[in-house]
Amino acid sequence: MKTSYLKSSLVSMAIALAGMSGAQAAETIKVGILHSLSGTMAISETTLKDTMLMLIDEQNKKGGLLGMQLEPVVVDPASNWPLFAEKARELLSQEKVAAIFGNWTSVSRKSVLPVVEELNGLLFYPVQYEGEESSKNVFYTGAAPNQQAIPAVDYLMNDIGVKRWVLAGTDYVYPRTTNKILEAYLKAKGVADKDIMINYTPFGHSDWQSIVSEIKKFGSTGVKTAVVSTINGDANVPFYKELGNQGLSAEDIPVVAFSVGEEELSGIDTKPLVGHLAAWNYFMSVDAEANSGFIDAWKSFIKNDKRVTNDPMEAHYIGFNMWVKAVEKAGTTDSDAVQQAIIGVSVPNLTGGYSAMLPNHHVTKPVLIGEIQENGQFEVVWQTSGLVAGDAWSDFLPGSKDIIADWRAPLACGNYNVKTAKCSGQNYE
Amino acid sequence: MGLLNLLKQDRGGQLFLGLLALAAVLVPLLNLLPPEGHALHLSTYTVTLLGKYLAFALLAIAVDLAWGYLGILSLGHGAFFALGGYAMGMYLMRQIGDRGVYGDPLLPDFMVFLNWDALPWFWYGFDMFWFAALMVMLAPGLLAFLFGWLAFRSRVTGVYLSIMTQALTYALMLAFFRNEMGFGGNNGLTDFKELLGFDLQADSTRIGLFVVTALMLALGYIVCRAIVQSRLGRVAVAIRDAEDRARFVGYRVEHVKLAIFTFSAVLAGIAGALYVPQVGIINPGEFSPLNSIEIVIWVAVGGRGTLYGAAAGALMVNYGKTYLTGALPEVWLFALGALFVLVTILLPRGLIGLMKTRSKKGGAAA
Amino acid sequence: MKPYNPEQISRHMSRLLNWILLLACLTAGQLPALYAAESDTPLHAAAELFKSKKFDQKYQAIQLLASDGSEQARAILVALMDSRLYTLKRDQRLIMLGRRSGSPDAVDAITGESVGNVARGAMNKITLNNRMRSQIRNALAMLDLRNPDKTKRLAAVNQLLDRPDAASAALIQSLLEQESDGQIREAMEIVIALGKLSSGDKTERLAAVELLDGNIHPAVRNGLLKLQQSTSDEAFAAEIKQVLDNIKATLQLYSLVENIFFGLSLGSVLVLAAIGLAITFGVMGVINMAHGELIMLGAYATYVMQLLMPEHIGAALLLSIPVAFVISGLVGIGIERGVIRFLYGRSLETLLATFGISLILQQTVRSIFSPLNRSVEAPSWMSGSWEINSALSLTLNRLYIIAFCLLVFAALFLVLKKTSLGLQVRAVSQNRAMARAMGVRSEWVDAMTFGLGSGIAGVAGVALSQLTNVGPNLGQSYIIDSFMVVVFGGVGNLWGTLVSGMGLGIANKFLEPWSGAVLAKILVLVFIILFIQKRPRGLFPQKGRAAEG
Amino acid sequence: MNSLDNLRTVMRRDRVFDFMLQTTGLEVDLSHGTILYLEDISVSFDGFRAINDLNLYIDAGELRCIIGPNGAGKTTMMDIITGKTRPDKGSAHFGQNINLLQLSEPEIAQAGIGRKFQKPTVFEYHTVFENLELSMAGERRIWPTLTAQLDGVQRQRIDEVLEIIALQAHRDRNAGALSHGQKQWLEIGMLLMQNPKLLLVDEPVAGMTHQEMERTAELLTALAGDHTVVVVEHDMDFIRSIARKVTVLHQGSVLAEGSMDEIQNDPRVVEVYLGE
């Protein structure tokens, strides 16, 4: 661990020096990595920075891109949202990076968005998010709600027979929107109001006694109940511990989580969690050739045999390869040309299939449901029969059902209202 | 004339205002005249960055007024800063009008997708700049007045007061995180388009904002300097050093504290309002107790009890932060932590204090 | 597991031989057919089915084992439930690992013969899903209904009560006559009565309702509610309503008890986090912003201890209490000697310096242990809950933490009241100059006091590691709460800290259902801010002139 | 009291918004010749009775010395007069018309009671001149304080006081740099600037040289007449040199009162105090 830090700080020091001298800049293509390395989000984002370094390293070993070497530019926005915008501006206008891979939280993406649009950069965003957005300059390689939440609910409803729902989330925009969509979806499927319980908690909530007890009571009516959890980050550990201790087993009330992956599990004693579910587009346990290659590469790159892979890493893998392919197709790293070229580009994902970039800047992905195993891995118990296309604008929200995104000419609009035939909310000329 | 009088004895202040004036002229020129790529060219990125630093410097001056001169170590000035920022952010949100992603003419985007059907009452009036400008000062001012009135009257002082201010900003942070509050929850307010009709993404607007911030900083400095030099300022220092004595001499300590604390909060609010259009986002993270402590550190590093020292501290620490988070991200927290420790132990009067004692040993002026 | 008699083993052996012969000529695709051909060996058939990756086949396998009903089938089910069932990679043999994790004594699942030490890589685990788990649980419960052990039988009945179905009700009905134990009979009658609620005739239903009066099991309430809605007889509905009302009143009482328990447990977490601060801040007047990080160090100490003793999680946890105390205490003494000692009398500045230290400690931990959370396991005696009845169960880890909190408090209290260190601490805190004149080495006392407060913070970290994340940000989430508890309780007063911590915990828990978790926290904070305006020295202020200034 | 009365009390403008209360310019009424009435005052801390049914009257223009062993309640009495401590019971009036128990410390100060602390307390980071300027009687509200400028008369007055306390040479030095005795004088000077009717002087000569002590004695005697001076002191020689009337406090109440000679011959005093 220590060596990897030392190494990455040496790398970044070298980068800083290189950036200052400016002489080499012409021979390399710079790739910006915008992930928090300190502060509250470092826990999740540091891994993604390392993933990007690995992908760039591998690409360079393959001979780089357009005959040039790729050069990673790592900055630390320190989990501070305004700093994300500032660092994005630094990457685009000072370092002149060809593309930025980064951000985890929605708010950091919202903060960066005006900057990439103003400077016409490219941002690859690797995390599942609430949707309701499609920017000319952003490529959403994580799941939209219809690529994670809705299939998960379908699974619970159809395969497990769940009839009562607890939508528990951290109080911020992703859970709020996801739960709004799910609520509308469930009601459309005939679930009554009294069979839906919605609960929000603050970030890092650690005392779950009352809420778990309430869930227990809610679930004791003899009707199959499930918890759809959009609980974020650190709050999960005490939540699952409390679930285990109050005796809510996965057989009684399964919890399906959208923010708990292998990396999160590596910090949790998984014994009480066994059987609970997660919905992702990728699991480390997936048996595919591409995946085992990726896992081996990752373990040897990070020099730690215990490290795990997770869904946002796969999203970066997909996003990076799409960008590489689009640049090769366009023959240039020019932002406009890449934006044109990347739509329709299809690259292998890690679950044995292909993912393609859609005109709305989202990608196609399979949706997998996994059950947590004692060893901290997921066992896939269900998966969609084919790929699911990411939907930028939910069909289940009144404000957005009439909006579509299509970045191809002639529409070339991220939120086109089919009713009013107007394209609004764009920050570019 | 009054101004000259004010600055006559203030060598540091003269230097500070001089440099500020120079920056206000030179920065726009270097940005506009030399072509991009020229060695002297100052990128818009740098201009905005400098503008942010100047807003922080104003905030540091506000904190120094309360801490350095009145002895109130506020660990909640970030809250006043953020409130000012939110007031400005609300104005900017209203200016988006129907250009939001949902095209709603009245409601900001976050309200549309969280199904608000009407604008909450506290959002009324923010479509007018004068109202927003008033709220920039009034919101933090009123909060400071209310808090100060309660706290000073019951003689909560020293450490207790600091902890209470920290609790205040913490409670506000939790409150603003709540989506039900109607301030955009964790995402806060973002995606601003224009300010007073000027496109916020235009370079000219950025330069304009920089110049305005520099002017407000200069003005803030001069007003604070005037307060500090007045008898009221000396009473404040008297209260800082011997509160009981000031009371028995007949000063209403509570009122003096309240007045200066409230003014300091208003100043912090103005700084927040200048900060928001330059960084393009305001969110509850600004209320975090950590931020407020960091502000205090800027002041401590620069040297408290000297207004320009506080401003200089803000500029230095923030430059260091920008540099280190870019160059040596892993080292940044070590550096900041070590700075806190070293400054408090070795430089109780900050870097300015160090320079002062170097230049004239045993000088009388405080 | 029961020991096997040789006869049984030899029988299994011969069966095994048959199977090996058969396997040689059959392919995996023909397995279901194969089961049909060899219907007299359900164990073997199940074993074959388990080799499949498909869940459908595993469901069948469990059914086979359940219907087999032999001791060995039961053992396999238990092993499957505990994730101890594997197949050997080399010959696809089904094996069971021993109960202790990592122990080498693997046995053949069907024959029970030892297969010695099997390397992790040489076998595949049989994976489970939730449906299999509940299938196994019910199957085991049905098997256990005949178990000679009374407690097992009772547990089985209760298990079936949780998930009532027609098959189990019929089985229980048939077993009722043979049952000798009163308590078990009672439980069985409830299961049967529950069945009658929906199926029996009118008099049976009436009798069932009367029997179920006062029972607070959720299944009972659900059954009654359903009946209440479906019945057309008004008098009968009124009677059911009466019973339901009784149940509701009882439940409300229990929920109040539960809420108080939640409050106390939250309170004890607050007290644990704050009590070290009550020493450093309350007694010494040092604003230690690094207090949270000292708690964090304690939690990491627990993690390291568990790494060192992976086989003895419980012992590691107990041992980590003194270890955490020493580590955090030493770090605390280091902080005191290295920084704070230069800042006495400048309390606001200690705040800044210690905040710097907190950043350094955080980043240090991040560099050593990575920014990821670390997994700290709960020993089995701390997992689960103490079920008083079906409406009230108190989680064990919380119970232990409440007890632990009181224990730490008592210990600290004794240290301060009864030991010479305590005497000197109090002397120095009341009048430093006088204490020095009396020959107290005040510097030593300062270091020891700070070490004590810090050590207690470390101990709190051990407790917190059982509740929440062990990560670099652990401390930050507790620091403001800790200060609030100390200030609210009255600085320099240990009892105040205890009362205020518990009080705030309970207040929080009673506000929470009404206002939600976030608003409850905000309301408590605002209350404290206002309270301090009214009583600037907290709940239990130090009185007299000494307290001023 | 019924709830309506309660409400009225709560709604009283002067109670709720005490900063709106008009107190400056309240002139003390000395028509009966007595400037301070303390009647039946008791106060206790933590069960310890610091002041016990204290009755004390001070005449206008008097120079009164108060002595008593440690813990007799001398400083607590001063705290009560100046509003720092509120008594559990009893009344305290300044002249005929001002109820001290209803006023805050600054109000009491502005009504005309000045106090010197036992430990000299001056504004250490201000110059001697500024210390005196800040203590000068006059407007104390925020805005006038902000805009205040010294006029010629006021400067002259400061210079006069500087002369009285013999600190002309130290006029621009920081008060923190003065010696202990000089700080004592500066504090007396600050009292003079306040121009109070009643001066409460707590141990004015502690830490002074003999010579300085004499000067202080002269100063205090000179002040009596125009002002009323109450001196608390341990130093018997000093008391003897200035005293006209002496009050002995013991266990929180007045034990004896009279001239120095009378006091010295009072057997009770000898027993509790001088006899030790």
Side-chain angles (χ1 to χ4, degrees), chain C residues 20-331:
Chain C
I20 292 171
L21 280 173
L22 270 169
L23 269 177
C25 48
L26 289 169
T27 56
Q30 289 164 298
L31 281 175
L34 184 127
Y35 162 58
E38 286 282 332
S39 55
D40 63 323
T41 58
L43 280 187
H44 289 84
E48 273 317 305
L49 288 167
F50 274 132
K51 286 167 195 167
S52 162
K53 281 232 156 200
K54 293 216 172 87
F55 284 114
D56 281 346
Q57 309 225 347
K58 294 187 197 171
Y59 300 150
Q60 280 182 32
I62 294 170
Q63 257 167 9
L64 278 177
L65 289 172
S67 60
D68 180 75
S70 69
E71 264 312 302
Q72 192 62 17
R74 191 174 185 284
I76 296 174
L77 285 176
V78 170
L80 182 58
M81 194 70 181
D82 297 351
S83 299
R84 289 184 289 113
L85 200 62
Y86 287 77
T87 51
L88 274 182
K89 273 185 183 164
R90 68 184 129 90
D91 57 3
Q92 290 287 296
R93 202 141 59 118
L94 200 61
I95 57 163
M96 289 190 286
L97 298 193
R99 272 192 190 276
R100 279 190 299 126
S101 62
S103 75
D105 50 346
V107 294
D108 186 294
I110 295 164
T111 62
E113 70 176 13
S114 171
V115 288
N117 199 346
V118 185
R120 281 268 158 202
M123 52 193 182
N124 290 321
K125 198 168 93 180
I126 311 269
T127 51
L128 275 167
N129 70 5
N130 287 329
R131 196 165 139 193
M132 286 167 71
R133 283 189 200 95
S134 57
Q135 217 186 342
I136 299 170
R137 236 186 261 281
N138 268 14
L140 286 175
M142 305 264 261
L143 293 178
D144 275 347
L145 282 177
R146 291 193 178 89
N147 197 303
D149 185 349
K150 262 195 248 171
T151 51
K152 284 237 171 86
R153 285 206 305 277
L154 184 61
V157 177
N158 283 333
Q159 161 77 15
L160 293 171
L161 181 57
D162 283 341
R163 291 185 200 74
D165 63 46
S168 58
L171 182 64
I172 288 177
Q173 178 82 62
S174 68
L175 290 173
L176 184 64
E177 290 304 309
Q178 307 159 20
E179 183 56 59
S180 53
D181 185 87
Q183 203 186 355
I184 300 175
R185 278 183 74 97
E186 217 171 281
M188 287 173 133
E189 273 163 359
I190 287 168
V191 179
I192 295 164
L194 264 178
K196 295 263 169 65
L197 276 186
S198 49
S199 63
D201 62 28
K202 200 176 165 190
T203 42
E204 274 179 333
R205 284 187 185 181
L206 206 61
V209 169
E210 265 159 28
L211 183 78
L212 293 174
D213 192 357
N215 191 307
I216 50 172
H217 196 283
V220 171
R221 202 187 47 207
N222 295 332
L224 287 173
L225 272 173
K226 214 182 272 171
L227 188 60
Q228 189 189 23
Q229 277 155 15
S230 63
T231 186
S232 50
D233 184 343
E234 272 185 31
F236 188 43
E239 185 158 346
I240 298 173
K241 187 174 179 299
Q242 180 61 43
V243 173
L244 278 171
D245 284 348
N246 286 348
I247 292 176
K248 207 170 152 192
T250 321
L251 284 181
Q252 262 169 356
L253 182 71
Y254 283 124
S255 116
L256 182 74
V257 174
E258 189 187 53
N259 228 348
I260 291 173
F261 172 73
F262 289 164
L264 286 177
S265 98
L266 175 62
S268 56
V269 169
L270 290 175
V271 171
L272 272 174
I275 199 162
L277 201 67
I279 307 273
T280 49
F281 178 42
V283 177
M284 299 175 71
V286 173
I287 318 283
N288 184 14
M289 293 298 279
H291 180 75
E293 276 59 40
L294 294 167
I295 295 179
M296 172 193 75
L297 287 183
Y300 271 97
T302 318
Y303 165 68
V304 172
M305 285 306 290
Q306 289 201 347
L307 274 192
L308 295 177
M309 309 169 64
E311 298 298 315
H312 311 279
I313 296 300
L317 185 69
L318 291 179
L319 266 182
S320 48
I321 295 172
V323 170
F325 182 82
V326 170
I327 290 179
S328 291
L330 285 179
V331 172

Side-chain angles (χ1 to χ4, degrees), chain B residues 277-293:
Chain B
Q278 302 194 63
V279 300
I281 182 171
I282 175 80
N283 81 335
E286 300 294 338
F287 285 104
S288 89
L290 216 95
N291 277 18
S292 292
I293 294 178

Side-chain angles (χ1 to χ4, degrees), chain A residues 224-349:
Chain A
K224 186 71 183 171
T225 307
V227 180
V228 177
S229 153
T230 38
I231 295 162
N232 183 274
D234 285 356
N236 275 305
V237 175
F239 173 63
Y240 281 112
K241 281 196 174 166
E242 193 65 40
L243 277 182
N245 284 325
Q246 291 204 19
L248 266 78
S249 69
E251 300 125 64
D252 304 327
I253 303 182
V255 177
V256 56
F258 302 149
S259 312
V260 177
E262 288 85 350
E263 182 131 274
E264 286 76 16
L265 288 185
S266 72
I268 311 182
D269 172 15
T270 43
K271 259 186 260 127
L273 276 64
V274 170
H276 286 299
L277 306 157
W280 288 105
N281 309 111
Y282 165 83
F283 287 114
M284 188 180 180
S285 64
V286 167
D287 197 9
E289 209 175 307
N291 188 28
S292 47
F294 182 77
I295 294 169
D296 290 343
W298 169 244
K299 284 182 174 170
S300 73
F301 178 82
I302 207 79
K303 295 188 184 63
N304 181 345
D305 207 32
K306 296 245 164 62
R307 285 297 288 269
V308 292
T309 56
N310 64 9
D311 181 274
M313 288 170 73
E314 191 223 15
H316 258 341
Y317 172 85
I318 294 172
F320 179 75
N321 286 336
M322 281 181 169
W323 175 72
V324 167
K325 211 164 166 184
V327 168
E328 278 165 352
K329 187 168 145 195
T332 166
T333 58
D334 175 71
S335 176
D336 285 321
V338 175
Q339 284 169 34
Q340 286 299 315
I342 200 167
I343 291 178
V345 158
S346 169
V347 297
N349 58 30

Side-chain angles (χ1 to χ4, degrees), chain A residues 3-13 15 49-50 53, chain B residues 329-330:
Chain A
T3 52
S4 88
Y5 260 104
L6 202 60
K7 195 182 130 198
S8 52
S9 47
L10 283 177
V11 167
S12 34
M13 212 183 322
I15 292 159
K49 177 212 64 175
D50 291 329
L53 290 178
Chain B
E330 280 88 3

